[in-house]
Amino acid sequence: MQEAALARRQLTNDMRGALVEQQYRIYYQPIIHLPSNRIAKAEALIRWQHPAHGLIYPDAFIPIAEETGIISDIGEWVYRTATQQAAHWRTGYFKDFQISINKSPAQLQQNGNRLVAWCKQLQKTELPGEGVVVEITEGMLMEASDDIKSILLAYRDAGIQVALDDFGTGYSSLSYLSRFDIDYIKIDQSFIRNMATSKDDMDLCEAIVAMAHKLGLKVVAEGVETEEQKALLIKIGCDFAQGFLFSKPLPPEEFEELLKKMSGET
Ligand code: C2E
Ligand code: CA
Ligand code: CA
């Protein structure tokens, strides 16, 4: 236990330095518009190129960053970097491209006035709010108070869209969907994984899509790995899909290659 605590403390220290040392990277995973089979968006996913431990995935450090509050600075860096990148891709490739950015509850709590900074940042990158989707989880809405409501309203005023991540794993309360301004539901990969083999999961996905559409929301399926899953999702009218079938998360240069290839196909 003592060893674990020590390792954790070391990681926390390293995490503080990592911003200054420019060790964080953003990988981009395409989100495909199913009816047209084209890239519509990308999700920004952070990685940490640690000098001693190599590439570290977010599950290994984001929770600690949240507990220690370092997440604010990291989150701001992610936002700045990803929006700049998206602005570049919108001008260079296609103008409706959107960047989807994860935001943990801890970030939102400390975020009242940082939101203003975000909006200013957007203006600086010449990326309109329409170019950004913020991914939040249900946990955020549960703790929710008027604060969250006003933050979500501020997003809407700035043109920023909101996606509810990991849908189906939590309470999946239907009342959230109508009470808050949500634009997308992301069906959790655990349901997609089994949809071809489990009738229950298949029915559940179909019901989520139908319900979302009824409420005026679009649906993104996460963790799509097979052609069979893709075909089923098209069949039930799912709007977007993301997963290893299309591409794993890529460093910016490689993602740009993908965009280039795609625009060459037109
Ligand atoms: P998430 O938001 O649910 O992101 C989706 C995760 O699924 C990513 O893991 C992605 O690489 C992985 N994935 C995508 N397609 C497939 C697939 O077809 N099959 C499988 N098995 N997995 C797939 P990753 O990049 O390790 O990120 C893990 C989590 O870390 C994210 O889950 C998100 O909650 C968090 N995270 C990542 N970047 C950020 C960030 O910038 N800020 C915050 N606050 N959290 C972040
Ligand atoms: Ca996400
Ligand atoms: Ca997710």
Side-chain angles (χ1 to χ4, degrees):
M1 247 166 84
Q2 205 173 356
E3 238 171 67
L6 207 71
R8 203 183 139 88
R9 201 170 317 139
Q10 184 63 46
L11 205 65
T12 309
N13 281 337
D14 289 357
M15 226 184 311
R16 289 185 210 279
L19 266 178
V20 182
E21 303 288 332
Q22 303 188 329
Q23 292 165 2
Y24 295 115
R25 306 277 179 269
I26 298 180
Y27 278 43
Y28 298 87
Q29 187 178 35
I31 300 175
I32 308 298
H33 179 239
L34 283 173
S36 61
N37 203 32
R38 325 214 49 180
I39 299 175
K41 318 167 195 291
E43 179 172 1
L45 294 159
I46 195 171
R47 272 99 184 88
W48 178 8
Q49 189 63 57
H50 192 285
H53 305 308
L55 198 67
I56 306 184
Y57 283 80
D59 288 339
F61 65 94
I62 289 291
I64 305 176
E66 286 172 348
E67 282 165 41
T68 52
I70 306 175
I71 192 67
S72 298
D73 290 340
I74 296 179
E76 210 144 308
W77 176 83
V78 169
Y79 196 81
R80 200 166 56 235
T81 312
T83 50
Q84 260 160 19
Q85 185 63 76
H88 168 67
W89 286 333
R90 270 169 83 101
T91 37
Y93 297 93
F94 61 109
K95 62 175 182 17
D96 295 331
F97 180 78
Q98 283 182 311
I99 188 77
S100 211
I101 299 175
N102 291 285
K103 218 155 185 261
S104 44
Q107 265 173 287
L108 214 63
Q109 274 154 16
Q110 309 160 336
N111 235 320
N113 40 19
R114 286 193 188 229
L115 189 67
V116 181
W118 276 36
C119 294
K120 284 205 182 116
Q121 169 64 28
L122 271 183
Q123 285 157 8
K124 246 190 284 169
T125 56
E126 290 172 22
L127 180 68
E130 287 74 26
V132 181
V133 180
V134 171
E135 299 196 5
I136 62 171
T137 51
E138 264 182 301
M140 195 114 83
L141 301 178
M142 275 171 58
E143 291 161 28
S145 45
D146 294 345
D147 282 2
I148 304 293
K149 218 169 169 161
S150 60
I151 289 172
L152 293 182
L153 281 174
Y155 283 151
R156 200 183 59 180
D157 289 346
I160 296 173
Q161 293 189 305
V162 176
L164 198 53
D165 208 349
D166 305 337
F167 189 79
T169 56
Y171 288 86
S172 311
S173 160
L174 299 186
S175 72
Y176 294 144
L177 297 177
S178 51
R179 203 152 24 107
F180 296 98
D181 269 298
I182 310 274
D183 301 284
Y184 303 92
I185 286 176
K186 297 191 81 171
I187 306 181
D188 189 69
Q189 48 195 55
S190 55
F191 300 103
I192 307 301
R193 192 176 306 135
N194 300 324
M195 72 185 297
T197 48
S198 150
K199 183 164 184 322
D200 282 353
D201 281 351
M202 177 68 199
D203 289 348
L204 218 104
C205 290
E206 190 167 4
I208 292 175
V209 171
M211 174 200 67
H213 286 170
K214 192 85 187 166
L215 295 170
L217 313 175
K218 302 265 189 220
V219 183
V220 183
E222 288 194 292
V224 180
E225 294 183 350
T226 67
E227 288 290 350
E228 192 179 12
Q229 290 162 351
K230 180 185 169 190
L232 290 171
L233 288 163
I234 291 174
K235 193 170 136 211
I236 62 174
C238 184
D239 306 281
F240 298 93
Q242 174 182 0
F244 297 163
L245 174 66
F246 307 101
S247 167
K248 60 185 200 308
L250 300 171
E253 318 78 61
E254 287 177 40
F255 185 82
E256 188 158 330
E257 283 303 312
L258 206 68
L259 282 178
K260 226 179 259 176
K261 216 166 76 191
M262 205 194 73
S263 49
E265 280 167 10
T266 50

